[in-house]
Amino acid sequence: MKRTYSKWCSVALIAVIYLLAGIAGWLLFRELTTCSMQPVWALLCADVLATVVVWLFGLLYENVSVYDPYWSVFPPVAFLLWAFYTGVWSLPVILLLVASWYWGIRLTRNWAITFKGIAHEDWRYTKYRSMHPVLFHLINFFGLNMMPTLVVFAAMLPGLNLYASGVATNIITWLGFVICIASATIQLIADKQIHDFRAQNPGKYCNVGLWKHGRHPNYFGEIQFWWGIWIMYASINGINWYILGPVTMTALFVGISIPLMEKRQLQNKPGYAEYRKQTRMLI
């Protein structure tokens, strides 16, 4: 039986869970770097361990949504701790920190606003529970917790490697920074518009503001944010295999998140099929 707490008690509980996950990750990172493991691999291992801690609490509370804010919490915290660890506070790093914290605070705030409490689980997870009861725990661990962690870490690699890129910037570096800020702002506006629309038009699909020009402007902003970080990196270091990070992030949204959301919208929102025909997937 699921435990029930008030919304803000639930938020406080999530904060404690993440603090414990962060402590576990930090202790592992310190131990692995002491044993001469490459720091970036040690950070990946710490990320994986922190995810496992969050996953375990998700099992305890029978709620996969315990993992949801991890997406927006880990990157800015990791980028900041990486600056302290490396001792690098160059202009490219400062731009990265400003962009990632603006994005992370905005996205985490949006989660807190829409979070209904520890007893409420996102409809996607509930769907997987009912459709795949035998395989659900495997899907939960690998697909709903670990896969997003690894995709986000891959998308973070260009940012992590900015710390070794020197102090020089150019117009493309600043362009990447502007894309990051603009992308998070697009998400901010899109989320505000859809929250307001849903409050006034329950049961209907949102087709106003940014949603008039794209079916998923919030996802568009998320995708572009990670491309912005890569552009900042590539402007100094050139194009290499780190481009796979934002490519994988794009594939996750276009290949999984958007089709899953649209299937639900087609089933539950009258008129969505016509809106889908008339409106682009992304802006």
Side-chain angles (χ1 to χ4, degrees):
M1 183 176 179
K2 287 189 176 182
R3 298 165 175 83
T4 57
Y5 301 95
S6 69
K7 172 175 176 173
W8 294 111
C9 282
S10 297
V11 170
L13 176 61
I14 295 292
V16 171
I17 292 171
Y18 277 54
L19 178 61
L20 294 175
I23 291 172
W26 169 251
L27 291 175
L28 179 62
F29 176 82
R30 189 175 65 177
E31 183 65 27
L32 292 176
T33 51
T34 300
C35 296
S36 301
M37 177 180 279
Q38 287 289 332
V40 70
W41 288 110
L43 182 61
L44 174 59
C45 291
D47 192 6
V48 168
L49 177 59
T51 299
V52 170
V53 172
V54 173
W55 168 74
L56 287 172
F57 277 101
L59 292 182
L60 177 64
Y61 289 97
E62 301 178 67
N63 191 342
V64 183
S65 289
V66 170
Y67 176 82
D68 285 350
Y70 194 88
W71 180 286
S72 59
V73 169
F74 180 78
V77 172
F79 283 141
L80 180 61
L81 293 178
W82 201 248
F84 282 109
Y85 175 76
T86 60
V88 175
W89 298 90
S90 62
L91 180 56
V93 168
I94 296 298
L95 295 178
L96 173 67
L97 291 175
V98 171
S100 63
W101 275 87
Y102 174 55
W103 164 85
I105 291 172
R106 190 221 66 82
L107 193 53
T108 305
R109 177 179 177 272
N110 185 67
W111 165 81
I113 291 172
T114 57
F115 182 55
K116 297 179 181 179
I118 198 69
H120 178 79
E121 187 173 59
D122 186 275
W123 62 269
R124 285 163 287 201
Y125 310 144
T126 303
K127 178 179 179 179
Y128 286 130
R129 283 185 190 276
S130 61
M131 289 179 60
H132 309 286
V134 176
L135 298 176
F136 177 73
H137 287 300
L138 289 176
I139 295 171
N140 178 16
F141 181 78
F142 291 104
L144 304 179
N145 283 258
M146 199 56 64
M147 184 184 72
T149 286
L150 296 178
V151 169
V152 169
F153 192 85
M156 287 175 60
L157 285 174
L160 292 170
N161 281 276
L162 267 178
Y163 292 75
S165 299
V167 298
T169 60
N170 54 59
I171 190 171
I172 305 301
T173 313
W174 283 95
L175 174 63
F177 172 72
V178 170
I179 288 174
C180 289
I181 298 298
S183 299
T185 303
I186 286 172
Q187 290 180 292
L188 173 65
I189 295 170
D191 286 336
K192 178 68 165 59
Q193 289 174 342
I194 197 170
H195 294 331
D196 292 345
F197 183 88
R198 285 174 175 172
Q200 299 171 11
N201 304 275
K204 296 183 179 181
Y205 62 88
C206 182
N207 61 349
V208 300
L210 294 175
W211 301 84
K212 182 179 179 180
H213 304 286
R215 302 196 302 273
H216 304 280
N218 51 344
Y219 289 163
F220 170 80
E222 185 67 21
I223 292 169
Q224 287 300 111
F225 172 79
W226 294 105
W227 278 104
I229 288 181
W230 176 80
I231 288 170
M232 291 173 64
Y233 167 81
S235 70
I236 302 172
N237 299 280
I239 299 175
N240 54 36
W241 70 272
Y242 287 130
I243 196 174
L244 293 178
V247 167
T248 304
M249 183 67 71
T250 304
L252 176 66
F253 279 96
V254 174
I256 299 177
S257 297
I258 290 177
L260 188 62
M261 178 64 74
E262 297 217 322
K263 184 178 179 180
R264 178 179 171 84
Q265 296 288 71
L266 288 168
Q267 292 172 344
N268 299 323
K269 307 289 186 182
Y272 189 82
E274 187 63 27
Y275 167 72
R276 189 170 182 262
K277 291 178 183 178
Q278 297 174 351
T279 312
R280 295 177 182 273
M281 178 187 294
L282 302 171
I283 293 176

